Amino acid sequence: MRLKTIEKLCCPFDKADLTLQIFAQTIDHNITEGLLSCATCRRNYPIIYGVPIMAPDEYRQLKLEQPVVQQWQLEHGISEIQLLPFVSTTTV
């Protein structure tokens, strides 16, 4: 995804500006992996294979996101709970 395109995006829930962390990009500076974050609602939207995952939580697909999130946990120390809002934080 091109940086100019990302600059035009806003949070789909509260329309606030997003901040970008880049984890991987191509030689011509297209973002292939990264994280968009909303400071207002504290939601995070991963960019996976150049596509920002900005769907409502109930429509996000854990099976597609999980391998990339696990890689980011190892390489960047990002918590799975930060990225996948439907992961339960309660313990029984």
Side-chain angles (χ1 to χ4, degrees):
M1 171 164 263
R2 292 183 177 167
L3 191 55
K4 284 188 173 194
T5 304
I6 290 173
E7 291 171 354
K8 295 177 183 180
L9 296 176
C10 67
C11 179
F13 293 92
D14 59 23
K15 309 301 183 230
D17 289 334
L18 298 169
T19 57
L20 171 65
Q21 286 180 279
I22 299 171
F23 299 143
Q25 59 187 23
T26 62
I27 294 171
D28 55 349
H29 303 290
N30 287 329
I31 310 258
T32 56
E33 291 183 5
L35 183 65
L36 293 166
S37 301
C38 176
T40 305
C41 70
R42 298 180 187 254
R43 289 180 180 273
N44 294 298
Y45 307 101
I47 299 171
I48 300 175
Y49 305 116
V51 178
I53 310 298
M54 299 177 78
D57 298 342
E58 60 269 15
Y59 296 114
R60 289 176 63 180
Q61 296 183 6
L62 179 61
K63 289 181 183 180
L64 295 176
E65 295 180 45
Q66 191 67 37
V68 176
V69 168
Q70 288 175 340
Q71 176 186 343
W72 290 354
Q73 284 178 296
L74 296 173
E75 293 178 3
H76 306 287
I78 294 180
S79 164
E80 181 178 66
I81 292 170
Q82 282 181 277
L83 298 174
L84 303 175
F86 40 79
V87 174
S88 175
T89 58
T90 60
T91 57
V92 178

